[in-house]
Amino acid sequence: MRARGTCLSIALPSIAAVAVAVLAASPAAAQKKGGTLRLYHNDNPPSTSLLEESTIASVMPFAAVFNNLVVFDPAKPRESIDTVIPDLAESWSWDSTNTKLTFKLRQGVKWHDGQPFTAKDVQCTWRMLIGKAETQDFKRNPRKIWYTKLRDVSINGDHEATFELSEPQPGLPALSASAFSAVYPCHVPQQVMRTKPVGTGPFKFAEFERGKSIRLVRNPDYFKKDRPYLDEIAVRTIDSRATRMLAFSTGEFDITFPSDVSVPLLKDIKARSPDAVCEMTTTGTLINLLVNRVNPPFDNPEIRKAMSLALDRKPFNTILMEGHARMGGAMLPQPEGQWGMATDALMSLPGYGGDGGKNLAEAQAIMQKLGYSEAKPLQIKIQTRNLPTYRDPAVIVSDQLKKIYIAGELDILDTPRWYSKLSRKEYTIGLNVTGVSVDDPDGNLVENYSCNSERNYTQYCNAEVDRLLAAQSRELDKEKRKRIVWDIERILVEDAARPVILHSAAGNCWQPYVKNFKPHDNSQYNNLRFEDVWLDK
């Protein structure tokens, strides 16, 4: 087991040694073709349309249907702008003003229905995303905020597309590499893309039986030579995590669902299936408290401050992740994250460092001043998603809030209802696990905290934060950009904008015959196309 960015002590050096020996002795031709990759799903995907969804529940089974203009190199576990490689675009370049990004596109690429892929598809996709299409029927557009600087996409023939920006946005290539930046076919209605998606990717959609199974089949016309190696990807939904772990350990599945293996369960898997290859990584997801600040009494900033001060992060880490999680603000902490604050700066922020007892006493005093007490608690519902990674921390939050006279009853929702309520802001208190698909401030801070973002679930709006978000987004000097990001982080904590509890760590496991699968340690979203994976059996 290799550990990236964690202090996990379990290790299997013999695996790495054997892998090196095999690679040294075997030519590339040793890669085998054929076979079915057997995966399980822990949930029910809301739809098959990646541009309309915000959850890995849709990305995991359907990313393999699509291509992007560019992608993060699947072989490099830590994603950054330096690991972005070509996909549907053969190359890309900025003009001298850094406001025009031109992509040279591959020729001869076909959609799964046989229609040719052209620059018009690129233009059409991003015009839909920025709301400039003649016909735009997205039900949701959660990442529209990524493209506020994008005025239009112009094309030059069938194989060149230029993104025309109002000002520089150095993070745009990284955003374009996200699994949520798939290129869509202009000729296919969005109603179809939600149920039977058409892409250019290595696998074609075959069937989706909601709540039961998903099947993808090899695209024989894929533009990447000799890819994919697999014939099929078969996904089966299993609600119980204990059942999922047992099924993997008995060889029923080839790879666990991304970050589905908790620290204690990882030990169980290794005991039951010692040949399994496992890695513990940070996941690019953060546990956070959602407070809908327009709903009384939570429109009172004092209550929100008290709730933030009441959060004791150490028990979450100890109970849920045995100390392997990261403590941070909204951005992924160092060393996996490129933008996270230094530890000493983080510990100086309200609620992070210092005396936990003092923080709790301050929070209790605030609530008492507002008229609450053990005899007269504030009764609320704490809503969360029906997954262990949500339910378990929600129980701890509920317990900690009782100490400041907030009596929270858990309200557990299935995935479609959870995301529907969040998008419509139909909740008061929620425990969320926010997945960040790209470790870039434009793909995280802008998406979750800017006033006009669809994914700003708490309805937080601070004009100074919006000004700084715009400033960091256009800053070409990375170090200067970091300093602006840290200023934003401080304000978010002081405002109790969306209190971050922990950045999660979890395990991924796969059978020893699964080759070329590499979990990434700063995002769980962008290595799930499986086009380079092959089965040595």
Side-chain angles (χ1 to χ4, degrees):
M1 185 187 308
R2 292 165 288 171
R4 290 200 182 98
T6 72
C7 56
L8 190 65
S9 59
I10 303 172
L12 298 177
S14 60
I15 293 176
V18 170
V20 170
V22 170
L23 288 173
S26 304
Q31 293 155 339
K32 296 179 181 178
K33 292 188 176 182
T36 297
L37 185 68
R38 301 165 303 161
L39 307 173
Y40 69 75
H41 204 306
N42 64 358
D43 208 350
N44 191 25
S47 82
T48 65
S49 175
L50 299 191
L51 295 186
E52 296 180 272
E53 301 301 344
S54 303
T55 172
I56 199 166
S58 290
V59 171
M60 189 283 281
F62 301 118
V65 173
F66 299 100
N67 286 106
N68 293 13
L69 290 168
V70 295
V71 292
F72 292 110
D73 189 339
K76 295 181 179 178
R78 187 159 298 170
E79 300 169 358
S80 72
I81 196 131
D82 297 324
T83 70
V84 175
I85 60 173
D87 203 26
L88 287 173
E90 292 182 332
S91 64
W92 59 97
S93 60
W94 290 99
D95 75 341
S96 59
T97 68
N98 291 297
T99 60
K100 291 185 178 181
L101 180 60
T102 298
F103 293 93
K104 304 284 187 181
L105 306 178
R106 296 183 188 271
Q107 300 185 31
V109 178
K110 293 182 179 180
W111 295 101
H112 292 157
D113 59 8
Q115 295 293 316
F117 160 75
T118 71
K120 277 197 170 183
D121 295 302
V122 177
Q123 183 184 61
C124 174
T125 297
W126 269 270
R127 281 186 172 176
M128 285 194 295
L129 287 169
I130 65 176
K132 198 171 182 177
E134 293 180 5
T135 58
Q136 204 271 50
D137 59 347
F138 281 162
K139 285 185 176 179
R140 292 184 292 271
N141 192 356
R143 285 162 297 280
K144 182 179 180 179
I145 197 71
W146 285 8
Y147 306 110
T148 53
K149 296 178 175 63
L150 182 59
R151 290 175 170 172
D152 200 3
V153 176
S154 61
I155 60 176
N156 180 16
D158 286 342
H159 305 111
E160 183 177 296
T162 297
F163 285 51
E164 301 174 351
L165 307 177
S166 59
E167 59 182 0
Q169 187 178 10
L172 184 57
L175 300 181
S176 302
S178 163
F180 289 115
S181 297
V183 181
Y184 271 25
C186 273
H187 62 281
V188 179
Q190 298 317 304
Q191 184 176 1
V192 174
M193 296 298 287
R194 294 181 195 117
T195 55
K196 297 179 180 179
V198 176
T200 58
F203 294 91
K204 301 170 70 170
F205 175 86
E207 61 185 10
F208 175 22
E209 190 172 357
R210 188 167 294 280
K212 293 185 178 180
S213 62
I214 298 163
R215 190 168 67 92
L216 310 179
V217 297
R218 185 178 188 273
N219 176 12
D221 300 317
Y222 194 42
F223 63 88
K224 297 183 185 180
K225 187 178 179 182
D226 298 326
R227 299 292 192 279
Y229 298 114
L230 302 166
D231 287 335
E232 290 192 14
I233 296 175
V235 183
R236 185 156 62 88
T237 300
I238 300 178
D239 292 333
S240 165
R241 184 158 67 173
T243 303
R244 298 194 297 267
M245 298 301 103
L246 180 61
F248 172 81
S249 296
T250 58
E252 191 173 342
F253 296 102
D254 300 319
I255 303 176
T256 57
F257 189 86
S259 305
D260 191 41
V261 186
S262 67
V263 179
L265 288 175
L266 185 61
K267 296 173 184 177
D268 290 342
I269 283 184
K270 290 305 297 179
R272 290 174 176 168
S273 185
D275 291 335
V277 183
C278 295
E279 289 188 4
M280 177 70 67
T281 68
T282 47
T283 64
T285 65
L286 52 150
I287 303 170
N288 53 98
L289 183 66
L290 300 179
V291 182
N292 193 337
R293 55 188 52 222
V294 304
N295 289 352
F298 301 100
D299 55 346
N300 185 335
E302 287 296 291
I303 289 186
R304 300 197 301 269
K305 179 181 178 181
M307 295 173 73
S308 181
L309 287 170
L311 294 173
D312 183 355
R313 293 167 173 82
K314 289 182 181 179
F316 288 89
N317 199 357
T318 301
I319 295 168
L320 301 177
M321 299 172 201
E322 298 185 3
H324 296 294
R326 299 285 190 206
M327 190 179 296
M331 295 303 297
L332 180 64
Q334 302 173 13
E336 296 84 9
Q338 302 177 68
W339 307 93
M341 300 179 73
T343 301
D344 57 347
L346 181 70
M347 290 300 122
S348 70
L349 298 179
Y352 279 87
D355 186 341
K358 182 180 178 181
N359 290 338
L360 179 59
E362 183 181 351
Q364 288 173 334
I366 291 171
M367 295 298 289
Q368 289 167 357
K369 183 180 177 181
L370 294 171
Y372 300 103
S373 64
E374 288 186 7
K376 186 183 175 184
L378 173 59
Q379 302 282 347
I380 62 168
K381 284 191 174 182
I382 301 175
Q383 295 184 320
T384 197
R385 186 177 174 190
N386 190 20
L387 289 176
T389 48
Y390 288 67
R391 295 194 309 264
D392 295 346
V395 171
I396 301 175
V397 163
S398 177
D399 183 63
Q400 292 189 356
L401 291 181
K402 287 178 184 176
K403 297 177 182 178
I404 62 167
Y405 324 123
I406 296 178
E409 176 190 354
L410 293 188
D411 183 15
I412 309 299
L413 306 173
D414 63 25
T415 291
R417 288 178 63 218
W418 169 246
Y419 280 103
S420 177
K421 280 186 173 291
L422 287 186
S423 64
R424 296 198 303 265
K425 316 298 189 293
E426 293 179 354
Y427 77 97
T428 299
I429 301 296
L431 188 285
N432 193 36
V433 179
T434 300
V436 180
S437 67
V438 181
D439 182 32
D440 185 275
D442 281 1
N444 181 357
L445 297 182
V446 172
E447 181 176 322
N448 291 302
Y449 298 95
S450 59
C451 293
N452 297 319
S453 174
E454 186 173 307
R455 287 199 77 196
N456 184 348
Y457 299 136
T458 66
Q459 305 190 67
Y460 172 78
C461 186
N462 183 321
E464 176 63 7
V465 168
D466 268 17
R467 184 189 70 80
L468 291 172
L469 287 173
Q472 66 79 28
S473 182
R474 63 175 170 261
E475 178 56 60
L476 299 175
D477 184 304
K478 186 173 181 179
E479 292 307 311
K480 290 181 179 177
R481 193 178 177 208
K482 277 185 181 180
R483 289 194 288 274
I484 300 171
V485 168
W486 296 342
D487 287 340
I488 297 169
E489 290 263 46
R490 290 187 192 95
I491 296 172
L492 295 178
V493 174
E494 290 167 357
D495 284 353
R498 190 169 177 170
V500 174
I501 300 170
L502 284 179
H503 289 258
S504 301
N508 297 277
C509 295
W510 56 98
Q511 305 293 354
Y513 52 78
V514 176
K515 305 300 180 182
N516 271 0
F517 177 68
K518 296 183 182 295
H520 291 181
D521 69 3
N522 58 353
S523 176
Q524 60 179 348
Y525 292 85
N526 304 319
N527 67 322
L528 299 172
R529 198 183 284 170
F530 304 114
E531 65 185 33
D532 297 313
V533 170
W534 56 283
L535 304 178
D536 189 15
K537 67 173 185 176

